[in-house]
Amino acid sequence: MCIVGRWSGWIRVWSGVPRGSVLGPVLFLIFINDLDQGIVSNTLEFADDTKIFKEVRDNIDCEALQRDLDNVVLCAQKWQMEFNVKKCKVIHVGRQTDCCEYYTGGSKLVEETLETDLGVWISADMKCSQQLRYAVNKASKLLGMIKRTITYKDLKIMLNLYKTLVRPHVEYCVSDYRS
């Protein structure tokens, strides 16, 4: 880097990417670019979150999913990255009750029946009651805040406040039923 005509020196970086750096996101993407190579299960990646999922019908499918988890851990270790195993969880979706246990880095993954992902509540039975409860609760709190803090309740102002503050929470991740 050059500041006022003076160049800084080089420094050896052994691993990791400085948090908040300009190159941080690009370097992170380079590190995880091959994370899903050799994996037969489906993967979804968003920022630093990775989801691995697969339809499991028998023990062969369980073993394939466990191999994929092991491969992801090996890839992360290759790039000197670590998974936060405490944040890694399993959710078995569907009616099957005889579920497999999965491990990451020697630790058994916690099994959940309800989990939030990108602000959406997902339950093992795939019912949306928890998501609805969350959205209604958030909207009610915002409506109460508007009622308590706004003294001049002009229709146009109230409508704009509703559309700006409340409605996005009610409609978040709701598919259009009219389609």
Side-chain angles (χ1 to χ4, degrees), residues 4 9 36-37 40 46 53 61 65 71 74 107 116 120 134 137 149 158 165:
V4 192
D36 58 358
Q37 286 189 349
V40 295
F46 180 78
F53 58 99
D61 292 335
L65 185 53
N71 286 337
L74 287 173
S107 299
T116 181
V120 177
Y134 175 78
N137 188 27
T149 58
M158 296 304 282
L165 299 175

Side-chain angles (χ1 to χ4, degrees), residues 150-165:
I150 304 300
T151 55
Y152 181 66
K153 293 181 171 57
D154 177 66
L155 178 63
K156 189 173 182 180
I157 292 172
M158 296 304 282
L159 192 58
N160 281 335
L161 285 171
Y162 172 78
K163 287 180 179 178
T164 305
L165 299 175

Side-chain angles (χ1 to χ4, degrees), residues 4-177:
V4 192
R6 300 206 59 200
W7 287 89
S8 63
W10 288 94
I11 185 169
R12 183 179 276 292
V13 177
W14 295 102
S15 68
V17 176
R19 188 172 246 168
S21 68
V22 175
L23 289 177
V26 174
L27 292 173
F28 178 76
L29 291 174
I30 291 170
F31 282 137
I32 67 160
N33 190 41
D34 61 348
L35 188 69
D36 58 358
Q37 286 189 349
I39 293 179
V40 295
S41 301
N42 299 301
T43 61
L44 292 174
E45 298 164 8
F46 180 78
D48 62 348
D49 286 340
T50 301
K51 286 151 204 55
I52 301 175
F53 58 99
K54 177 178 184 56
E55 181 180 3
V56 176
R57 294 179 181 237
D58 52 28
N59 283 341
I60 295 170
D61 292 335
C62 286
E63 291 167 5
L65 185 53
Q66 181 60 58
R67 268 193 310 277
D68 288 341
L69 289 169
D70 295 339
N71 286 337
V72 167
V73 170
L74 287 173
C75 180
Q77 288 172 347
K78 172 183 148 188
W79 290 107
Q80 298 178 358
M81 295 189 312
E82 290 182 31
F83 278 102
N84 187 345
V85 179
K86 293 176 186 171
K87 290 184 175 180
C88 296
K89 298 175 184 164
V90 174
I91 185 166
H92 300 281
V93 177
R95 296 181 185 159
Q96 183 180 359
T97 55
D98 55 336
C99 301
C100 304
E101 294 180 344
Y102 297 100
Y103 296 83
T104 302
S107 299
K108 182 182 176 211
L109 296 180
V110 176
E111 294 181 26
E112 298 286 350
T113 57
L114 182 66
E115 187 60 37
T116 181
D117 183 34
L118 299 176
V120 177
W121 287 93
I122 300 167
S123 65
D125 60 5
M126 294 303 288
K127 292 183 179 174
C128 59
S129 56
Q130 185 67 30
Q131 178 65 25
L132 291 171
R133 196 173 300 120
Y134 175 78
V136 166
N137 188 27
K138 186 79 170 178
S140 294
K141 287 179 180 178
L142 288 166
L143 284 169
M145 185 265 309
I146 291 170
K147 185 179 178 183
R148 285 188 311 276
T149 58
I150 304 300
T151 55
Y152 181 66
K153 293 181 171 57
D154 177 66
L155 178 63
K156 189 173 182 180
I157 292 172
M158 296 304 282
L159 192 58
N160 281 335
L161 285 171
Y162 172 78
K163 287 180 179 178
T164 305
L165 299 175
V166 179
R167 191 171 170 183
H169 292 284
V170 175
E171 293 181 350
Y172 182 69
C173 285
V174 174
S175 60
D176 188 359
Y177 62 91

